[in-house]
Amino acid sequence: MKIDNSNTEIIPSPQNISIYAKDTITLPQSSHISFINIKPDLRITTAAKQLCEDLKNNHNCNWSISYSEGYKSAISAAINKNLRIQEYKISSKISTNQTLINIEAGSIASICFAIQTIRQLIMQYGLILPSLQIQDFPEIPVRAYSYDVSRGRVPKLSWLKTLVDQLSLYKYNQLQLYVEHVIDLDDTIESWIGHSPLTCSEIIDLDEYCYARGIELVPTLATFGHMYEILRSNSYKQLGEFPDQSERPFSFVERMMHHTLNPTNPNTIPFISKRIKDYASLFKSNKFNIGADETFDLGCGESKNVAEKIGVANLYLSYIKKLCEKLHELDLQPIMYADIAIKHPELLADIPKNVIFANWDYSANMNENNIKLIKSQNRDQYVCPGTQSWNRLIPDFDSAINNISKTCEYGHKNHVLGFLLTDWGDYGHINDPILSLPYVIISSEYAWKSNNIAKKDLINKVSNVFANRTNSNLLNIIKQASHAQAFSWSDAVQFKELEYNNENIANEDVLFSLGYPKNTSLEQARRRFLNEREAQILNAKEYNRTLSECSKSIYDINAYSENIKCENINKDFISTSILNIQGQQLLNQLGLYILNQRFTIAEAKSFKTNLNEWFTQYQNRWESIGKTADLYRIREVLDWYIKRLGL
């Protein structure tokens, strides 16, 4: 007799699962996980160790691992070559020979998936598991996560390993770390000195850690656009489209808009080729993401004359071909972002055939036109939604869910090679990476299969993950908080940077980003900026009441979870959610002040005290998972506003 499978909180949910009423199995306190007719492999050994550790830590069990049939094992696994590479089957039943759970898998990778499924079952049911049968496989072969480590935050290796553990639990098989300058390669020391870079030894360590957990760590390196810090250095400023602008003061806005390499400079390809070679040597992967997105300045500066002769599109294509030739020499398969090629679809046919296009679109109402365009060329592609967390203390919940679900829907429909969830750090990376984890988990569901569970049920499932299965409403509270943003971090940065270098003149880059005329004065720009946001900012007091209610609700969840054994990641998510809600309340207050200029002296002093206390907690959280890096730039923005308060 079957029971309702909807109560089973496996994420991603299996393609087929049958659970039988009344029949249960009880895992013993001591037993083995045996791999039959399989040579020892680090990946399945690691997955099995994770399971053994779960049993030890949560249930005081003493289990071990065997690659032999000589043990009576409660769990046994074997390869079935008739199954697909990423397919597995699990069967659990009462048995007289002590084997309670049987795994059949098409490969080492799918054995790991099966073990992660069993781990999740034990997390939900404990040692008394239902009798069940599972047949499962992913419909999108590559499920990847891209994490920005270049725009302010540089994670500690310990946090990256925590992230990898989460990715493996939810059956991701690829991780990309987006790097512009923060890797300690000798030739760009001017760019990373003082920015707490990732070290080459850390990358090698992480690569090993990823491999052991079935994750391919793919090098990702800016090689065309987004070369901000490198093109601000004395050694390499001449390689940019606008070398004369290298001395401009730092700007969060500007770093997102400019700093494209000049492909006509004869030193550009040798520089980038060496950089690719040096970085690629740290990885096992045979893939390399060259970026090549948002080349805003191409053909506008030093390369303008050539661009006028052959066209910007052909100039772009020529450079990409040269990069691909270098990758071919290194036996590396290129991955590149598709935004420029899509704007010039005539390029697609001439870009080397082995290129994988990372096709991003972060719109909540995206359509499938660009996905269909690349498919029409019979090209491999990863579809790339976003966590919608950048420039915000609280990710945009609805936009993220809608963007992820639509991207995956169109990805399945067009039979794409991969799914790549992107998580950026624009404007100093104020967003805490742990608050992106719900979208990582939700994405694993949408990317795994086309026949998904209902959105409401999925959100409840993921809520239970972070509330240690004590509350299915947590993400709905986060959703509510994400709607209560009267004045965003992006607003705070743009308003500050409307003034160029404290010179009482308008910053043309910010004017451009806001869509304002180039000749707009600073006073006019600020007035327009506030007028456009007035209705939203005036909601600040109401929004802050909502945020206070959200904080209280999350505190209640946290208080309950304190009474049970709760994983650190759950506690960190809850505490960070509260911290960032408090930060948003302060930003909302700041917006009201900027709009009305009505803080009393007492209110201003109280705001300064609260802001400083909040930042101390924010700094502690930042440094618990990341290096110091560019945290000071966030502090500089806050200090600018404190100065405006006259304090």
Side-chain angles (χ1 to χ4, degrees):
M1 178 181 175
K2 294 183 181 179
I3 65 173
D4 184 3
N5 300 330
S6 64
N7 293 323
T8 304
E9 296 185 346
I10 302 170
I11 307 173
S13 52
Q15 299 286 352
N16 297 288
I17 178 170
S18 298
I19 300 178
Y20 300 93
K22 299 181 180 179
D23 293 337
T24 61
I25 63 169
T26 302
L27 297 178
Q29 289 291 313
S30 178
S31 190
H32 296 269
I33 307 169
S34 291
F35 302 105
I36 311 302
N37 296 325
I38 301 172
K39 291 184 177 180
D41 186 282
L42 178 61
R43 293 164 292 176
I44 53 177
T45 298
T46 301
K49 282 182 177 179
Q50 289 176 317
L51 177 54
C52 291
E53 287 169 5
D54 290 350
L55 290 165
K56 177 68 175 178
N57 295 335
N58 299 321
H59 303 284
N60 200 30
C61 294
N62 185 22
W63 281 49
S64 57
I65 303 164
S66 169
Y67 282 87
S68 165
E69 295 184 77
Y71 294 91
K72 293 180 178 179
S73 304
I75 300 176
S76 68
I79 297 289
N80 182 345
K81 293 184 178 179
N82 293 320
L83 300 181
R84 284 165 282 201
I85 293 294
Q86 296 193 53
E87 183 179 6
Y88 68 91
K89 293 181 178 180
I90 295 175
S91 175
S92 69
K93 59 183 180 181
I94 299 172
S95 174
T96 57
N97 65 4
Q98 293 194 6
T99 299
L100 302 176
I101 300 176
N102 280 296
I103 298 170
E104 294 179 71
S107 66
I108 297 296
S110 49
I111 288 178
C112 295
F113 296 155
I115 293 173
Q116 300 301 339
T117 294
I118 294 170
R119 289 182 68 205
Q120 290 193 40
L121 285 168
I122 293 171
M123 290 174 188
Q124 181 180 356
Y125 293 105
L127 297 182
I128 303 175
L129 302 179
S131 179
L132 54 77
Q133 290 183 328
I134 294 174
Q135 184 259 339
D136 198 18
F137 61 90
E139 294 175 33
I140 293 179
V142 178
R143 299 156 315 279
Y145 176 60
S146 174
Y147 178 40
D148 185 347
V149 299
S150 272
R151 306 246 175 92
R153 283 183 191 265
V154 180
K156 291 180 178 177
L157 183 60
S158 56
W159 166 252
L160 290 173
K161 289 180 176 180
T162 297
L163 173 62
V164 171
D165 288 338
Q166 291 294 299
L167 294 176
S168 68
L169 180 61
Y170 298 104
K171 303 183 180 72
Y172 281 76
N173 54 7
Q174 190 179 109
L175 169 64
Q176 300 185 19
L177 299 181
Y178 172 74
V179 172
E180 292 178 2
H181 61 288
V182 287
I183 181 70
D184 66 345
L185 299 174
D186 288 343
D187 57 349
T188 52
I189 187 171
E190 290 173 75
S191 302
W192 54 256
I193 194 76
H195 294 279
S196 310
L198 291 167
T199 67
C200 292
S201 60
E202 285 174 327
I203 293 294
I204 293 169
D205 190 334
L206 181 63
D207 192 56
E208 293 285 345
Y209 195 86
C210 285
Y211 176 79
R213 286 150 186 80
I215 306 289
E216 180 183 17
L217 184 63
V218 174
T220 305
L221 194 68
T223 61
F224 205 171
H226 293 296
M227 302 291 289
Y228 186 61
E229 294 292 349
I230 288 174
L231 293 181
R232 280 161 53 85
S233 69
N234 287 328
S235 296
Y236 298 108
K237 62 184 180 182
Q238 294 302 322
L239 299 182
E241 285 281 2
F242 297 104
D244 57 325
Q245 295 188 15
S246 65
E247 303 298 325
R248 286 168 59 89
F250 178 90
S251 161
F252 280 131
V253 174
E254 184 182 346
R255 75 160 294 149
M256 302 304 303
M257 296 174 59
H258 295 297
H259 305 280
T260 302
L261 283 168
N262 168 21
T264 67
N265 188 312
N267 295 317
T268 295
I269 284 293
F271 166 68
I272 287 296
S273 297
K274 183 179 185 304
R275 193 161 170 79
I276 289 173
K277 182 179 180 181
D278 289 347
Y279 197 45
S281 67
L282 308 176
F283 298 80
K284 293 183 181 67
S285 177
N286 67 344
K287 300 179 184 67
F288 197 106
N289 189 335
I290 59 172
D293 59 315
E294 297 186 326
T295 51
F296 300 117
D297 297 333
L298 184 62
C300 298
E302 295 292 303
S303 70
K304 185 176 182 179
N305 290 338
V306 176
E308 287 176 346
K309 291 178 182 176
I310 68 172
V312 173
N314 286 325
L315 183 59
Y316 179 89
L317 176 63
S318 173
Y319 182 74
I320 294 298
K321 282 184 171 180
K322 291 174 183 176
L323 288 187
C324 289
E325 287 173 6
K326 297 300 177 181
L327 290 175
H328 179 73
E329 292 172 6
L330 298 170
D331 292 323
L332 296 172
Q333 182 176 17
I335 303 171
M336 61 176 285
Y337 287 107
D339 53 312
I340 306 300
I342 285 171
K343 291 177 183 175
H344 304 279
E346 70 276 10
L347 298 182
L348 288 170
D350 292 324
I351 291 175
K353 300 300 182 186
N354 69 331
V355 168
I356 299 170
F357 289 102
N359 190 0
W360 61 270
D361 187 336
Y362 304 140
S363 170
N365 300 310
M366 65 169 295
N367 58 53
E368 65 179 312
N369 292 344
N370 290 339
I371 298 172
K372 290 172 69 176
L373 173 63
I374 292 178
K375 182 187 177 184
S376 70
Q377 299 284 327
N378 198 29
R379 306 301 297 271
D380 284 334
Q381 62 179 310
Y382 296 169
V383 290
C384 310
T387 60
Q388 310 297 326
S389 58
W390 48 94
N391 288 330
R392 301 174 62 101
L393 283 166
I394 309 166
D396 187 340
F397 187 92
D398 289 322
S399 292
I401 300 298
N402 290 335
N403 179 231
I404 290 165
S405 61
K406 284 186 176 293
T407 299
C408 288
E409 176 189 345
Y410 300 140
H412 287 295
K413 183 179 176 181
N414 290 278
H415 305 289
V416 299
L417 173 63
F419 165 90
L420 176 64
L421 179 66
T422 61
D423 195 352
W424 302 108
D426 305 6
Y427 292 8
H429 210 147
I430 196 166
N431 42 300
D432 193 295
I434 202 168
L435 299 190
S436 294
L437 282 184
Y439 310 102
V440 172
I441 300 172
I442 287 167
S443 292
S444 75
E445 171 72 26
Y446 282 117
W448 188 264
K449 56 187 295 190
S450 53
N451 182 26
N452 302 118
I453 64 174
K455 187 179 294 184
K456 178 182 177 182
D457 292 336
L458 177 58
I459 290 170
N460 289 344
K461 273 190 177 185
V462 179
S463 291
N464 269 321
V465 167
F466 288 102
N468 205 46
R469 293 171 174 80
T470 63
N471 194 296
S472 63
N473 197 43
L474 177 59
L475 289 192
N476 287 314
I477 300 170
I478 300 294
K479 173 182 178 178
Q480 189 179 7
S482 76
H483 294 165
Q485 179 178 264
F487 193 70
S488 70
W489 175 249
S490 176
D491 292 332
V493 168
Q494 289 174 335
F495 185 82
K496 173 188 179 296
E497 292 192 359
L498 267 170
E499 182 178 19
Y500 179 77
N501 198 31
N502 296 318
E503 295 178 8
N504 202 34
I505 57 174
N507 187 324
E508 291 185 3
D509 284 318
V510 184
L511 294 178
F512 179 83
S513 70
L514 294 169
Y516 298 175
K518 188 176 181 180
N519 61 351
T520 306
S521 71
L522 177 60
E523 183 182 355
Q524 291 170 329
R526 283 178 170 169
R527 190 182 309 117
R528 178 175 173 178
F529 184 93
L530 293 173
N531 286 341
E532 290 171 349
R533 290 159 179 76
E534 181 176 10
Q536 183 76 6
I537 294 173
L538 289 175
N539 291 320
K541 291 184 179 179
E542 179 186 347
Y543 284 173
N544 278 359
R545 285 193 291 271
T546 298
L547 291 171
S548 293
E549 292 170 1
C550 291
S551 285
K552 183 181 182 305
S553 296
I554 299 173
Y555 268 122
D556 291 342
I557 295 171
N558 186 55
Y560 184 82
S561 67
E562 287 290 334
N563 297 322
I564 58 178
K565 191 171 178 114
C566 188
E567 294 182 19
N568 287 336
I569 198 155
N570 304 60
K571 292 179 179 179
D572 287 347
F573 178 83
I574 287 173
S575 62
T576 304
S577 295
I578 294 170
L579 176 65
N580 281 22
I581 286 172
Q582 293 169 340
Q584 186 57 57
Q585 288 179 294
L586 290 167
L587 285 176
N588 288 348
Q589 285 183 261
L590 184 61
L592 271 180
Y593 168 73
I594 294 298
L595 180 67
N596 297 319
Q597 304 281 308
R598 289 179 184 170
F599 271 7
T600 65
I601 293 175
E603 288 172 334
K605 287 183 177 179
S606 176
F607 178 83
K608 179 183 178 182
T609 299
N610 292 337
L611 185 64
N612 285 334
E613 288 177 353
W614 175 84
F615 186 81
T616 298
Q617 296 179 62
Y618 181 84
Q619 179 177 353
N620 291 339
R621 168 61 189 170
W622 176 297
E623 293 179 345
S624 71
I625 63 170
K627 306 182 184 187
T628 303
D630 290 358
L631 176 62
Y632 73 96
R633 296 201 185 278
I634 292 175
R635 181 74 242 192
E636 286 176 346
V637 174
L638 301 179
D639 285 343
W640 185 86
Y641 281 100
I642 288 175
K643 187 176 180 180
R644 285 187 66 87
L645 295 175
L647 300 172

